[in-house]
Amino acid sequence: MVVNKWLVAFGSYLQMLGRVFRRPDRMRMFGRRYLNELYQLGIDSVGIVLLISLFIGAVICIQFKMNIQSSWMPLWVPGYATREIMLLEFSSSIMCLILSGKVGSNIASELGTMRVTQQIDALEIMGVNSANYLILPKILGLITMIPILVIFSVVAGILGAYATAYIGHIGTVAELTQGMQYDFHQWFFWMGVIKAVFFAFIISSVSSYYGYNVKGGAVEVGKSSTNAVVSSSILILFSDTFLTQLLS
Amino acid sequence: MITLQHIKKAFGDKQVLKDISTVFESGKTNLIIGRSGSGKTVLMNCIVGLLQPDEGEILYDAENVVTMTKYERTLLRRRMGMLFQGSALFDSMTVLENVMFPLDMFSNDSYKERKRRAMFCLDRVNLGEAADKLPEELSGGMQKRAAIARAISMQPQYLFCDEPNSGLDPKTSLVIDKLIFELTKENNMTTIVNTHDMNSVMGIGENILFLSEGYKEWQGCNAEIMDSKNQKLNDFIFASDFSKRLKAANEENIELKDGINNQ
């Protein structure tokens, strides 16, 4: 019964994507909405991404320096570990998990409210492909912004690590720099970006699906928002496992 | 003109519309009335294409909606305007942007021309001064008028109004009714109004379809409705004590007049 329910939901999700990925009715209107979504989903998230990454970068560095480092471990390890964790997992996967809460609930509640207040019906009655008009700019907007957010997150994490040296005087700048530069593989950066693009698609499309298909009133909008965050998070974790294996 | 032929619609085991056939004429305000749960909204949703009937045909002049392709239906919808019960204005846009929206989407006119048309529609509903306001800054009646302006911005052939007076005071309801009636005449539209407001029925009901338990129970105009012998219709119209007393007073007056004439 549960499998049947999932299959029905998956089929409905694919049908929705079929309506989303069409040529927009009017490119001018699409462009306007796309720019708006870039701002709303991407630029509005820069602050929280920088803040979290800065502190996590600092904490990783402190943990390695204070709690893990021993006499047999080279002094550059905290810098190296901070870089690798930020590049490989935090800035792509964990940051997207956090964004699925912020952006996912935003998308689901916006579309859900539009559904229950008949704004989506109004678009349909006008002859507008509502799925394409509302959802495509969100998906493309988040996919466009996510590599930028990943870069910001990596940079903020590294700055956080340096802050421990400059402000907290935990280790030296030279040790950190040595670790940051040690055995650097450019591919790791691209791996993080590629994963984040997949996760951006999951967050925007799954949250849109839950919001777009709301039936009922305010309670259902709230539920759809929660379901959007839970489902996107689970899908991100699953796909992270497969993508990491595939791209490594 | 919109023609319905043998429309049936069920949700699971519950048959909501039971073989409804009728004609909604152009240039007239056609009303669908009935008690809550009688099938009015389902019928309206079938007509505008938000629901697919299980059986029957819906003809917009000569075009059958039921057998249309999605693309043909989309083109037809661009000739429709709809006023929703809750207005359904886009809350992130100003009133002017709301009215300009259909023009922005489908018109090839210049921005200046589109704005001129939108302002004309807003002025027509006496909302010119509220053009730059957001929907949340408007009263219920003003929101309805803004939604009417948006509905007529593309000069539709067909206008649909779902409970246009719900949540409005009687005086504002009269303004909305008058507006719908005048716009129908001015643009020779086929207007269908879904309502259970008796003021609307008596004021603008040129062609009234009364639904009861999914059946077409009665059809006529507002001049005929008071004299109808249909029991279900009379139960609906004269549901309140006030309307019963009004009818009784009206009949006494008529009898009195008849008496005077006979003498």
Side-chain angles (χ1 to χ4, degrees), chain A residues 122-151:
Chain A
L123 284 170
E124 290 290 331
I125 290 293
M126 285 175 204
V128 177
N129 177 348
S130 61
N132 173 275
Y133 175 75
L134 295 171
I135 300 172
L136 187 62
K138 289 186 191 299
I139 293 177
L140 295 184
L142 195 58
I143 284 176
T144 311
M145 284 306 291
I146 211 83
I148 298 166
L149 293 176
V150 168
I151 293 168

Side-chain angles (χ1 to χ4, degrees), chain B residues 43-226:
Chain B
L43 182 61
M44 178 76 100
N45 286 342
C46 285
I47 296 170
V48 298
L50 289 176
L51 286 174
Q52 185 81 356
D54 298 331
E55 283 179 47
E57 292 185 337
I58 299 169
L59 302 167
Y60 280 69
D61 295 317
E63 300 169 273
N64 188 351
V65 179
V66 182
T67 55
M68 269 181 186
T69 62
K70 271 191 176 177
Y71 180 68
E72 287 170 333
R73 197 174 291 185
T74 301
L75 292 181
L76 174 69
R77 281 178 172 173
R78 291 178 191 171
R79 291 187 275 141
M80 292 181 191
M82 183 153 183
L83 170 61
F84 285 88
Q85 190 173 354
S87 301
L89 294 169
F90 304 125
D91 42 22
S92 59
M93 299 180 188
T94 64
V95 170
L96 178 65
E97 285 168 343
N98 264 284
V99 179
M100 279 182 77
F101 181 84
L103 300 163
D104 286 341
M105 285 303 288
F106 304 117
S107 161
N108 290 321
D109 295 339
S110 66
Y111 175 80
K112 201 175 164 185
E113 185 57 31
R114 297 198 306 271
K115 189 174 178 185
R116 193 200 61 74
R117 171 69 191 160
M119 283 309 297
F120 171 80
C121 294
L122 280 173
D123 287 335
R124 181 64 192 80
V125 299
N126 294 323
L127 267 186
E129 288 173 8
D132 295 325
K133 289 188 174 174
L134 287 168
E136 66 187 20
E137 297 174 274
L138 305 181
S139 67
M142 288 165 91
Q143 285 186 9
K144 287 275 162 68
R145 282 189 279 147
I148 292 174
R150 183 177 69 182
I152 60 166
S153 63
M154 288 288 285
Q155 294 176 296
Q157 275 178 267
Y158 312 100
L159 179 67
F160 302 96
C161 307
D162 187 17
E163 304 276 5
N165 297 333
S166 73
L168 299 181
D169 63 86
K171 203 168 179 182
T172 311
S173 299
L174 288 177
V175 172
I176 299 292
D177 283 346
K178 189 165 173 264
L179 204 51
I180 292 169
F181 185 78
E182 287 173 358
L183 289 168
T184 303
K185 299 296 171 199
E186 282 168 25
N187 303 303
N188 195 33
M189 294 184 292
T190 304
T191 299
I192 302 180
V193 181
N194 186 353
T195 187
H196 44 226
D197 180 357
M198 284 311 295
N199 287 327
S200 302
V201 173
M202 297 314 294
I204 61 169
E206 292 178 287
N207 177 28
I208 303 163
L209 172 69
F210 173 63
L211 295 185
S212 177
E213 294 164 13
Y215 288 105
K216 172 184 160 182
E217 193 66 39
W218 181 87
Q219 188 160 14
C221 67
N222 52 4
E224 299 161 351
I225 199 165
M226 298 298 265

